[in-house]
C-alpha cells in the first residue's frame, strides 16, 4: 500500500463534533446547505440516504456516524460536501459546518499519528498545522470505501502538541 | 495546428470510422457465406470492401492497415472468381484477418500506434492465395464422405463431460478441446449450385436469412451517421424536460389557474410525451449485431469443441435501448459458451440418445407487452438437478435439498456457487452465472431458467424496453414518497378486515382480499423498523414471478411518469429498490423493484421462521 501521507496543497476545512478536519480540495465538487434526504432501507447506519443533486440521485453519508460520533441535530450551519470519488461517483457527506480553505505547505504537515488499529485508519492521511490549530487531514474517498466500516476512535490522546 | 494538419487529422478519424463500419459488414457477410447460395456476389462485396479499406487507408496514411488489407484483398480477388474454392479454413483465416484489422483500427482510434507484427498472418494469407492459384481446380469428390472421413478420424476431439453441469463445478477453466487444427484438405463440397452445402465435420450452419446479406451491405438511403455523444446529450435533455414538465404539471394542478393556462399546459404535456416517445425510439437499436456476434462465437466454439452445432436466430430485428444492448453482449456470450461447452453433448452421446447429431442452439427475441424477451435454448443434456443441489448443500448455500425444479436450477445464479476462477476469453474477465444475473438485473431485467434432463435447457431474459422512463404509482410511507412500477401493480384496496398477524416481522401478516389470502408487506417496517403504519392505510397488490403480495402504505397519490435514476453505488444498493426518481418538489422518491422486494422479504421471513 502506498504511504498515507498528505501532500502540500489546499484543504477544505470543516467541523465535526467540535473537531477540525481537512479534505484535499481536489476531491471536493461543491458544498450545499442540507436539504431533503430520502432514507434507503437496510442501508448501513452511516448512510443517511440519497439526495437530489440537480437531477442526479447521489448517496449521502452521515460523517458523524462514520467517524463514530454520536448523532446530533442539524443546525443552520450543517452542510453537505459533495466529493467525487473513484470512477467519477459523487457522494455527499454531512458535516456540522464548513470553515474555509487553508493552504498547507509541506512543512506544516505531519504524518498521521499511529493508533491501535492502523488498518481501519487508512483514511487519515496526516495532521496539518494552521494558525495554531491541528487539523486532521482525511482522504474522504478512502474513508467511504466499502471496506471501512464505521469506526470509533479517540483522537484526543493523540492530538498532543 | 495548421489547417493542413486539421484536415489530415479529420481525414484519418473519418477513415477509421469508415473502416470500422466496413469491417463489421464484412464479418456479417463472411459468417453467412458458408450457407449462402450466391457466394460469388458476397465474395465480390468482400473484395470491394477490402479494396476500399486498402485504398482509403493509403490516402489517410495507415500503412499498417494497408499491408494486411492488401494481402486479404488479393486472396479475395482469387476467391471471388472461384467461389467453389471457399473452404471453412479459408473463412476462418479471413475472419481472423478481419479481427486483427478491427483491433488495429480500434487501437489507432485511441491513439495507440505501437509496432504491430502481422507477418505470420500475412504469410498464411499469401500461402492460401498461392495454393489457390496452383490448384486452380478444386478437388471435387463425387462421394462427399470419402474426402472428409479420413480427416474426421484424424482428429479426436476431447470433450468435456456434459454432465459436468455447465462447468459450474469446475475448479479450473475448461481447456480448449480440439488439439488438432482443421486442415486445408477439408473442403466444402457442392453437389449442385442450388443445394445447400453439406459437410461431414463440425461446421456452423446458419438458418438461411431471408435476404442475402451481401445485397444489403449498402447503406440505406434514408439513414445518416450522427456522433453518438451528441444524440445522448439530446436524449438526456429530453429526460430532464420530462421531469420539469412533470413538476410544472403538479404545481399547476394544485392551483386552479385560468383555463387558457390550463389548456396550454395540457398541450405542453401532449407534445412532451410525443417527444419522449420519439426520443426513446432513437435510442432503440436492433439486436441483430449482437446475435451475429453470438453466431460468430458459436461457429468458433463449435470448431474448437468438435461438436456440430446449428445456430438458429429469430426476432433479430427486435429493438432495445442501445445502452442495454451493449450490456447484454457479455452475458449472452457467456451463456452461449456454457451451452456449447457443457450443454450440447458429444455426437456419440447424442446418437446414443437417439438425438440428431447436430446440436441446435436457438436464440430468439420478441416484444411482449412493454418488455423484450430473449431466449437462448439448447437441445442438449439439460441441467443436472441433483448435482446442482448436492454442490449447493456442500457449499452451504442452502440448508435442505427440498427444492422445486425452478429453485434448484436458479441455484446456479447464487454467488459463490461456482468456485472456478474462470477467465473467459470472451470478455477477458472472470465471469460466472451470478455476474450474468447481476448484469441483467442492473438493466432492470430478470432471468428464468427451465430445463429437462436429457432434452433441453432454456434461459429466458426479460427486459424493459428502456431502462430510462417508468410509469409508476406514487405512494406515501411514513411521510416519504415511494413509487411502484405500474406493470407490477394488480389492484388497490382498502383493507376491509383487520390484518391478521402471524407474528412479527415484515412479511408475516396476511389479509383477505376479494376472497383470497395475501401476504402483507408492511413497507414501514422495511424502510425503518421504528416506523408505524397509519391506521387508515391502503393496500397495493403487486405481483412478481407469479406470486402476489399486498403492500401496506399510508396513502396512494396517483399515477405518474418519472425518469428512473440509478443508485448504482455500494453504499445505497438495496434489493427491492430499483432506483430513485425526482418528484415535482425536488424530493427523491425511491422506486421499488417488486421482484427484489418480495424476494428480500421472503428471505427474512424464512430466516425468522
Amino acid at each position: 500500500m502506498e504511504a498515507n501521507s498528505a501532500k502540500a496543497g489546499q484543504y477544505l476545512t470543516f467541523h465535526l463534533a467540535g473537531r477540525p478536519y481537512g479534505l484535499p480540495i481536489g476531491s471536493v465538487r461543491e458544498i450545499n446547505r442540507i436539504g431533503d434526504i430520502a432514507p434507503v432501507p437496510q442501508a448501513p447506519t452511516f448512510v443517511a440516504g440519497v439526495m437530489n443533486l440537480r437531477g442526479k440521485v447521489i448517496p449521502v453519508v452521515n460523517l458523524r456516524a462514520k467517524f463514530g460520533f454520536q448523532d446530533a441535530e442539524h443546525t443552520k450551519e450543517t452542510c453537505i460536501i459533495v466529493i467525487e470519488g473513484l470512477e467519477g461517483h459523487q457522494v455527499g457527506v454531512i458535516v456540522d459546518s464548513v470553515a474555509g480553505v487553508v493552504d498547507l505547505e509541506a512543512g506544516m504537515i505531519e504524518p498521521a499519528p499511529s493508533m491501535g488499529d492502523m488498518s481501519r485508519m487508512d483514511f487519515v492521511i496526516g495532521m496539518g498545522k494552521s494558525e495554531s490549530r491541528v487539523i486532521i487531514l482525511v482522504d474522504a474517498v478512502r474513508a467511504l470505501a466499502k471496506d471501512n466500516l464505521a469506526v470509533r476512535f479517540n483522537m484526543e490522546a493523540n492530538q498532543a502538541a | 495546428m495548421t489547417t493542413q494538419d486539421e484536415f489530415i487529422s479529420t481525414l484519418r478519424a473519418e477513415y477509421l470510422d469508415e473502416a470500422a463500419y466496413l469491417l463489421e459488414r464484412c464479418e456479417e457477410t463472411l459468417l453467412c457465406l458458408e450457407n449462402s447460395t450466391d457466394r460469388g456476389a458476397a465474395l465480390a462485396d468482400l473484395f470491394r470492401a477490402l479494396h476500399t479499406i486498402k485504398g482509403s487507408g493509403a490516402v489517410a496514411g495507415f500503412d499498417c492497415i494497408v499491408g494486411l488489407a492488401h494481402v486479404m484483398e488479393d486472396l479475395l480477388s482469387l476467391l471471388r472468381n472461384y467461389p467453389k474454392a471457399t473452404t471453412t479454413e479459408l473463412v476462418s483465416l479471413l475472419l481472423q484477418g478481419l479481427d486483427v484489422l478491427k483491433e488495429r483500427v480500434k487501437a489507432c482510434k485511441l491513439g495507440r500506434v505501437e509496432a504491430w507484427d502481422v507477418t505470420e498472418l500475412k504469410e498464411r494469407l499469401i500461402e492460401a492465395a498461392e495454393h489457390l492459384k496452383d490448384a486452380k481446380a478444386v478437388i471435387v469428390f463425387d462421394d462427399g464422405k470419402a474426402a472428409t472421413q479420413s480427416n474426421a478420424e484424424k482428429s479426436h476431439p476431447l470433450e468435456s463431460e456434459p454432465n459436468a453441469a455447465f462447468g459450474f463445478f469446475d475448479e479450473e477453466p475448461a481447456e480448449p478441446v480440439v488439439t488438432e487444427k482443421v486442415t486445408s484438405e477439408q473442403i466444402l463440397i457442392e453437389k449442385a449450385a442450388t443445394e445447400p452445402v453439406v459437410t461431414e465435420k463440425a461446421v456452423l450452419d446458419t438458418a438461411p436469412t431471408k435476404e442475402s446479406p451481401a445485397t444489403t451491405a449498402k447503406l440505406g438511403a434514408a439513414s445518416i451517421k450522427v456522433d453518438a455523444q451528441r444524440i445522448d446529450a439530446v436524449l438526456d435533455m429530453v429526460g430532464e424536460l420530462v421531469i420539469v414538465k412533470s413538476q410544472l404539471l403538479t404545481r399547476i394542478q394544485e392551483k386552479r389557474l385560468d383555463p387558457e393556462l390550463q389548456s396550454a399546459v395540457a398541450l405542453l404535456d401532449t407534445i412532451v410525451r410525443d417527444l419522449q416517445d420519439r426520443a426513446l425510439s432513437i435510442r432503440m437499436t436492433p439486436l441483430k449485431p449482437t446475435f451475429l456476434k453470438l453466431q460468430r462465437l458459436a461457429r468458433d466454439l463449435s470448431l474448437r469443441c468438435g461438436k456440430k452445432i446449428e445456430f438458429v436466430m429469430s426476432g433479430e430485428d427486435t429493438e432495445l435501448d442501445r445502452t442495454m444492448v451493449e450490456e447484454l453482449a457479455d452475458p449472452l456470450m457467456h451463456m452461449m459458451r456454457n451451452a456449447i461447452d457443457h450443454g450440447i453433448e458429444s455426437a456419440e452421446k447424442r446418437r446414443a440418445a437417439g438425438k440428431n447429431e447436430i446440436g441446435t442452439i436457438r436464440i430468439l427475441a420478441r416484444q411482449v407487452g412493454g418488455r423484450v424477451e430473449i431466449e437462448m435454448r439448447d437441445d442438449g443434456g439439460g441441467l443436472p438437478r441433483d448435482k446442482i443441489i448436492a454442490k449447493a448443500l456442500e457449499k452451504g448455500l442452502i440448508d435442505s435439498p427440498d427444492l422445486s425444479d425452478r429453485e434448484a436450477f436458479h441455484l446456479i445464479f447464487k454467488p459463490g456457487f461456482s468456485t472456478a476462477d474462470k477467465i473467459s476469453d470472451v470478455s477477458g474477465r472472470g465471469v460466472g452465472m451470478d455476474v450474468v444475473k447481476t448484469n441483467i438485473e442492473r438493466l432492470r431485467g430478470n432471468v428464468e431458467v427451465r430445463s429437462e434432463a436429457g432434452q433441453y435447457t432454456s434461459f429466458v431474459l426479460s427486459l424493459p424496453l428502456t431502462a430510462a422512463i417508468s410509469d409508476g404509482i406514487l405512494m406515501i410511507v411514513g411521510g416519504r414518497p415511494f413509487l411502484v412500477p405500474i406493470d407490477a401493480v394488480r389492484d388497490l384496496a382498502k383493507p376491509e378486515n383487520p390484518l391478521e398477524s402471524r407474528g412479527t416481522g415484515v412479511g408475516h401478516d396476511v389479509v383477505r382480499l376479494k376472497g383470497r389470502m395475501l401476504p402483507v408487506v408492511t413497507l414501514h417496517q422495511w424502510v425503518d423498523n421504528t416506523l408505524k403504519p397509519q391506521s387508515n392505510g391502503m393496500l397495493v397488490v403487486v405481483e412478481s414471478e407469479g406470486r402476489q403480495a399486498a403492500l401496506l402504505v399510508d396513502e396512494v397519490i396517483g399515477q405518474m411518469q418519472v425518469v428512473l435514476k440509478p443508485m448504482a453505488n455500494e453504499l445505497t444498493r438495496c434489493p427491492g429498490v430499483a432506483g430513485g426518481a425526482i418528484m415535482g418538489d425536488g424530493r427523491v422518491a425511491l422506486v421499488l423493484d417488486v421482484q427484489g422486494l418480495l424476494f428480500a422479504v421472503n428471505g427474512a421471513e424464512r430466516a425468522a421462521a
Side-chain angles (χ1 to χ4, degrees):
Chain A
M1 278 289 160
E2 70 274 15
N4 300 336
S5 50
K7 299 189 176 51
Q10 295 186 311
Y11 287 80
L12 174 72
T13 53
F14 60 93
H15 281 87
L16 209 57
R19 297 159 176 79
Y21 290 85
L23 274 178
I25 201 91
S27 58
V28 175
R29 279 296 149 265
E30 60 187 89
I31 301 166
N32 289 321
R33 287 258 172 270
I34 191 143
D36 183 78
I37 300 175
V40 174
Q42 318 287 309
T45 30
F46 63 89
V47 175
V50 289
M51 70 180 254
N52 168 15
L53 183 72
R54 284 188 307 285
K56 258 206 303 205
V57 176
I58 67 170
V60 181
V61 166
N62 179 344
L63 212 56
R64 270 184 170 254
K66 189 78 177 70
F67 284 3
F69 300 122
Q70 262 191 322
D71 247 341
E73 291 266 321
H74 294 156
T75 71
K76 60 173 164 55
E77 313 271 295
T78 312
C79 291
I80 294 190
I81 302 177
V82 179
I83 57 179
E84 188 159 309
L86 309 158
E87 299 154 21
H89 286 144
Q90 295 183 334
V91 175
V93 289
I94 304 175
V95 301
D96 294 345
S97 64
V98 167
V101 178
V102 295
D103 222 321
L104 294 177
E105 288 156 34
M108 298 152 82
I109 300 178
E110 284 180 9
S114 63
M115 274 160 281
D117 190 355
M118 264 319 286
S119 58
R120 300 263 188 212
M121 291 299 142
D122 65 348
F123 54 82
V124 175
I125 52 178
M127 312 288 278
K129 289 216 179 116
S130 167
E131 292 164 20
S132 77
R133 298 180 300 163
V134 177
I135 305 171
I136 305 163
L137 305 176
V138 292
D139 176 342
V141 173
R142 236 183 266 167
L144 299 177
K146 66 176 158 117
D147 311 290
N148 284 328
L149 305 169
V151 141
R152 191 166 283 286
F153 67 88
N154 192 331
M155 292 292 290
E156 271 103 23
N158 300 293
Q159 267 180 3
Chain B
M1 237 200 263
T2 65
T3 29
Q4 172 80 334
D5 290 336
E6 271 170 31
F7 169 70
I8 293 187
S9 168
T10 316
L11 182 70
R12 285 168 71 92
E14 282 176 358
Y15 166 74
L16 289 173
D17 282 338
E18 191 194 0
Y21 175 76
L22 283 173
L23 288 168
E24 284 292 330
R25 302 312 303 247
C26 283
E27 186 179 12
E28 264 187 57
T29 310
L30 256 184
L31 282 175
C32 298
L33 195 65
E34 281 155 331
N35 244 18
S36 162
T37 46
D38 188 3
R39 292 223 204 110
L43 287 163
D45 276 341
L46 284 167
F47 167 78
R48 276 194 293 273
L50 262 317
H51 183 78
T52 308
I53 292 176
K54 179 194 80 174
S56 306
V59 170
F62 287 101
D63 297 329
C64 48
I65 297 180
V66 170
L68 180 53
H70 188 123
V71 168
M72 289 180 68
E73 182 200 8
D74 279 348
L75 178 56
L76 283 162
S77 166
L78 289 168
L79 221 43
R80 70 179 163 163
N81 294 322
Y82 214 170
K84 288 188 195 179
T86 314
T87 66
T88 297
E89 206 224 9
L90 279 177
V91 171
S92 294
L93 188 56
L94 285 168
L95 281 172
Q96 211 184 335
L98 287 180
D99 281 345
V100 171
L101 280 174
K102 272 200 276 184
E103 283 306 309
R104 186 61 178 174
V105 166
K106 249 195 262 179
C108 288
K109 267 205 224 183
L110 297 170
R112 290 203 308 256
V113 254
E114 310 115 8
W116 186 50
D117 183 18
V118 284
T119 342
E120 197 253 324
L121 178 62
K122 281 205 260 187
E123 274 168 11
R124 277 195 283 147
L125 283 158
I126 295 174
E127 193 191 313
E130 292 296 312
H131 194 96
L132 269 181
K133 269 189 248 170
D134 294 341
K136 227 40 171 166
V138 161
I139 311 153
V140 178
F141 293 82
D142 294 316
D143 176 0
K145 292 191 181 26
T148 53
Q149 194 160 38
S150 50
N151 289 316
E153 277 163 5
K154 261 194 252 175
S155 60
H156 300 281
L158 296 162
E159 275 143 18
S160 40
E161 272 295 309
N163 285 332
F166 281 59
F168 299 121
F169 305 147
D170 290 354
E171 303 298 320
E172 247 116 59
E175 295 292 326
V177 279
V178 168
T179 47
E180 252 189 44
K181 287 192 76 139
V182 172
T183 69
S184 55
E185 271 93 66
Q186 283 154 336
I187 294 169
L188 301 176
I189 286 114
E190 247 180 301
K191 299 229 172 69
T194 51
E195 258 185 59
V197 170
V198 169
T199 74
E200 288 295 297
K201 54 171 189 41
V203 160
L204 188 64
D205 290 340
T206 37
T209 47
K210 286 180 238 126
E211 71 265 356
S212 158
T215 57
T216 55
K218 312 182 189 77
L219 254 184
S223 63
I224 56 171
K225 268 205 288 191
V226 182
D227 181 38
Q229 275 185 332
R230 282 196 207 177
I231 294 270
D232 282 342
V234 170
L235 296 179
D236 278 347
M237 298 206 69
V238 174
E240 299 300 323
L241 184 60
V242 167
I243 300 180
V244 168
K245 175 212 74 166
S246 190
Q247 292 177 355
L248 186 62
L249 242 61
T250 323
R251 288 268 183 259
I252 299 276
Q253 275 154 10
E254 280 165 12
K255 315 176 193 308
R256 301 239 153 268
L257 298 172
D258 70 88
E260 275 186 24
L261 187 54
Q262 300 264 30
S263 65
V265 166
L267 183 57
L268 177 67
D269 187 19
T270 314
I271 294 178
V272 173
R273 274 179 193 271
D274 194 10
L275 181 61
Q276 193 185 320
D277 284 340
R278 289 169 194 275
L280 282 177
S281 75
I282 293 181
R283 291 176 73 105
M284 304 292 268
T285 188
L287 282 163
K288 185 165 173 189
T290 310
F291 284 9
L292 285 175
K293 271 202 219 150
L294 289 173
Q295 182 183 359
R296 168 74 193 272
L297 178 67
R299 178 189 188 279
D300 291 346
L301 286 177
S302 103
L303 284 175
R304 236 192 304 161
C305 292
K307 293 178 185 169
K308 296 176 200 169
I309 309 265
E310 190 191 356
F311 177 88
V312 180
M313 73 166 118
S314 78
E316 64 269 19
D317 291 326
T318 309
E319 293 187 337
L320 257 191
D321 186 307
R322 209 180 81 234
T323 37
M324 295 173 75
V325 170
E326 282 163 29
E327 297 279 323
L328 278 175
D330 276 352
L332 284 173
M333 295 215 265
H334 182 73
M335 282 158 53
M336 169 137 295
R337 299 194 112 250
N338 279 336
I340 294 181
D341 280 347
H342 306 288
I344 304 279
E345 320 93 316
S346 70
E348 292 104 51
K349 285 208 162 66
R350 289 180 70 90
R351 267 196 300 261
K355 287 172 151 177
N356 189 331
E357 242 180 36
I358 304 180
T360 305
I361 299 199
R362 211 174 285 272
I363 180 137
L364 61 93
R366 60 170 173 234
Q367 206 171 312
V368 175
R371 297 181 79 81
V372 166
E373 269 183 12
I374 301 177
E375 180 179 1
M376 184 180 300
R377 187 189 177 100
D378 68 71
D379 64 352
L383 291 174
R385 191 207 137 95
D386 296 329
K387 277 206 181 176
I388 293 177
I389 293 184
K391 194 76 175 181
L393 279 171
E394 193 188 303
K395 289 192 189 290
L397 295 170
I398 51 173
D399 300 316
S400 104
D402 205 3
L403 299 169
S404 69
D405 272 358
R406 185 183 172 276
E407 286 166 331
F409 295 144
H410 275 245
L411 286 172
I412 64 180
F413 295 121
K414 275 200 180 302
F417 184 80
S418 158
T419 56
D421 188 25
K422 286 195 195 17
I423 308 299
S424 156
D425 60 4
V426 160
S427 56
R429 301 185 286 276
V431 180
M433 285 309 281
D434 61 319
V435 175
V436 167
K437 181 157 197 251
T438 317
N439 284 353
I440 306 262
E441 285 174 347
R442 249 212 313 234
L443 301 172
R444 296 201 302 125
N446 49 46
V447 197
E448 283 289 320
V449 190
R450 272 188 267 273
S451 175
E452 201 181 303
Q455 295 300 318
Y456 76 91
T457 306
S458 150
F459 288 88
V460 178
L461 313 180
S462 167
L463 300 150
L465 276 178
T466 167
I469 310 236
S470 314
D471 255 300
I473 301 275
L474 179 61
M475 342 178 276
I476 305 286
V477 176
R480 298 226 52 108
F482 285 82
L483 278 154
V484 60
I486 203 145
D487 31 322
V489 176
R490 293 290 166 268
D491 205 353
L492 295 172
K494 268 222 169 285
E496 302 144 358
N497 312 316
L499 302 179
E500 297 161 29
S501 180
R502 289 188 301 179
T504 53
V506 186
H508 282 223
D509 297 336
V510 283
V511 71
R512 182 179 294 279
L513 217 54
K514 295 181 180 153
R516 278 175 315 143
M517 297 294 280
L518 288 177
V520 176
V521 177
T522 312
L523 281 180
H524 309 69
Q525 283 177 306
W526 173 65
V527 170
D528 175 353
N529 52 16
T530 62
L531 277 180
K532 292 273 177 291
Q534 287 174 8
S535 52
N536 56 344
M538 285 284 287
L539 290 172
V540 178
V541 180
V542 294
E543 180 176 322
S544 161
E545 299 175 305
R547 282 180 303 190
Q548 291 195 352
L551 306 178
L552 178 63
V553 302
D554 293 334
E555 223 185 310
V556 172
I557 306 288
Q559 189 176 339
M560 70 183 294
Q561 248 190 341
V562 290
V563 176
L564 181 71
K565 305 278 183 176
M567 288 169 22
N569 185 290
E570 288 294 338
L571 298 168
T572 51
R573 196 188 305 280
C574 166
V577 174
I582 315 260
M583 300 283 95
D585 58 5
R587 291 197 298 172
V588 174
L590 294 185
V591 179
L592 299 181
D593 164 30
V594 177
Q595 185 185 16
L597 175 64
L598 295 186
F599 191 79
V601 164
N602 281 334
E605 188 184 304
R606 240 185 284 176

